[in-house]
Each structure stands twice: as structure tokens, then as C-alpha cells.
Amino acid sequence: MDTEWRPAVWPEIAPPADAAACERCELSRQRARVIWAEGGEEAPIAAVLDNPGAREDREGTPFVCATRSALQRAVAEAGLTAEELFVTYLLKCRPIRAYDKEAARKACFAYLEGQLEGRRAIMLLGLVAARFALDRPDAEMAELRGRWHEFRGIPARVTYHPLAVHRRPNLAKGFFADWRELAVMALPAVGGGRREQRDRGGE
């Protein structure tokens, strides 16, 4: 593992105009803004979280929250870079009070489908994102982890939500392993020359 790793603020990707003005569900009346994605816009791998949090909702001085730190650590350990990962959300607005969850997720789903189109692989982070994206509303994490799924023809894996890993360090080993497996499938060079070169110090 790279002992020099440090969390960083990844570049935010602005929403397209139609999404920024979206009024498809009641969250449009709660949000401060639409939060689209971060990382590499054309990245081969996408990661899907359930919904934005307070860090994403506000504008101003950015910082790396616990979710970001755990996610970035696993991504770096798998040999991936920020440019190779597109991080987005099932919901594009941060909920701040009670709302119709099913209606909001359905309203956002067309945006998500467009964001994921053409990716080589997808990592679904946590049960909320995994259950909805895979249409497995009653599935448990033990059923979904450790095997390949498909989202619109794209290979997909399921792993723990990064915040759960931050709070329960015993999950980290499996979380890191899930990312390594996805990275090697999506970008075979990660499992070979590029990662070995990085571990040798870039020789």
C-alpha cells in the first residue's frame, strides 16, 4: 500500500443545464443546488453513492469528508487515479427533510442511466444504491457482494458504503478487495505493470 497516500479534493463536475434546473421531484424545493459528480468526466469506472451530503450541498471552501477519505484510500490502494473514476449519486439533490424516496429515485434514474452509459465498470456503494440500481429491493449485502452483476449491459460490483467502512474498520479489508477486483477487470494494466511501477517508486 502507498504509505504516502493523502486524501485530496477531487474536481467537481457541473451538471448540464437541464439537470441544474430540474423540477422532476419534491427535492427541487429542498435543495441548495444540484450535485452532479466529481472525478474524471470521461472515466472508465463509475462509483454510485446514495445521495449527496452536507459537504456536497454547500459551496465554499471544499474539504474531504469521511466518506471521501475512505473511498479515495480504497481507490488509491487499487491502483486507480481520480481521473479514472467518475463518482456520482442515485439522487442529485441532498434531502434535508422527509420526502417520497421512491418517487425521487425514479425521477433521478434517467440522469443516472445517462451518466453511466459507456463506462467499463460500475461500483455500487451501499445497499440503497445497489438495491435500486439492480432492482433488488430486498437483497442484503451478503447476497450482492462478491459477484458480478449487470447494469444496462455494464459489469457492476457491490460493496460497502465508504462511511460504513470509516465507522467500522473491520470492513476495510473486504472493501479494498472489492475495489482491486473491479479495477483489474476494468483496467487490466492496473493489476500488472502500472501498479508494479508505482510500488517501485515510478522507475
Side-chain angles (χ1 to χ4, degrees):
M1 187 181 299
D2 183 4
T3 57
E4 298 303 314
W5 174 83
R6 295 289 185 278
V9 175
W10 286 1
E12 186 170 323
I13 300 166
D18 64 324
C22 180
E23 296 182 348
R24 294 181 182 180
C25 78
E26 64 185 290
L27 291 183
S28 65
R29 299 187 293 276
Q30 297 187 24
R31 69 174 182 241
R33 64 192 183 102
V34 168
I35 300 95
W36 191 247
E38 63 185 63
E41 191 160 11
E42 303 300 324
I45 298 171
V48 181
L49 291 155
D50 46 4
N51 56 261
R55 176 265 187 191
E56 295 82 27
D57 193 37
R58 67 170 171 265
E59 295 180 280
T61 304
F63 70 99
V64 181
C65 61
T67 294
R68 289 299 174 301
S69 183
L71 175 59
Q72 290 184 17
R73 186 67 193 243
V75 168
E77 201 278 342
L80 298 169
T81 66
E83 292 73 26
E84 291 167 333
L85 186 66
F86 177 88
V87 183
T88 190
Y89 311 90
L90 186 58
L91 298 180
K92 309 306 181 194
C93 304
R94 180 197 174 209
I96 59 173
R97 55 181 179 269
Y99 67 103
D100 186 330
K101 294 180 180 180
E102 189 71 10
R105 291 166 187 166
K106 287 180 178 178
C108 273
F109 199 59
Y111 291 131
L112 182 67
E113 289 179 303
Q115 288 180 308
L116 300 183
E117 186 177 357
R119 310 288 174 184
R120 292 187 197 172
I122 300 164
M123 183 67 90
L124 300 169
L125 297 163
L127 271 176
V128 172
R131 284 171 169 172
F132 195 83
L134 300 176
D135 195 21
R136 297 279 304 276
D138 299 317
E140 297 299 331
M141 184 60 71
E143 300 173 59
L144 299 175
R145 271 194 71 236
R147 56 183 60 91
W148 287 101
H149 305 274
E150 204 174 83
F151 179 90
R152 305 297 186 264
I154 304 169
R157 299 284 287 196
V158 175
T159 193
Y160 307 111
H161 193 289
L163 188 57
V165 176
H166 172 78
R167 291 172 173 168
R168 299 171 57 194
N170 61 302
L171 300 178
K173 182 177 180 180
F175 186 62
F176 287 179
D178 293 339
W179 274 105
R180 284 195 298 270
E181 185 160 352
L182 182 135
V184 170
M185 190 287 296
L187 300 173
V190 170
R194 179 149 65 88
R195 187 172 181 188
E196 290 172 6
Q197 185 180 44
R198 184 204 66 185
D199 292 342
R200 292 197 304 270
E203 295 176 3

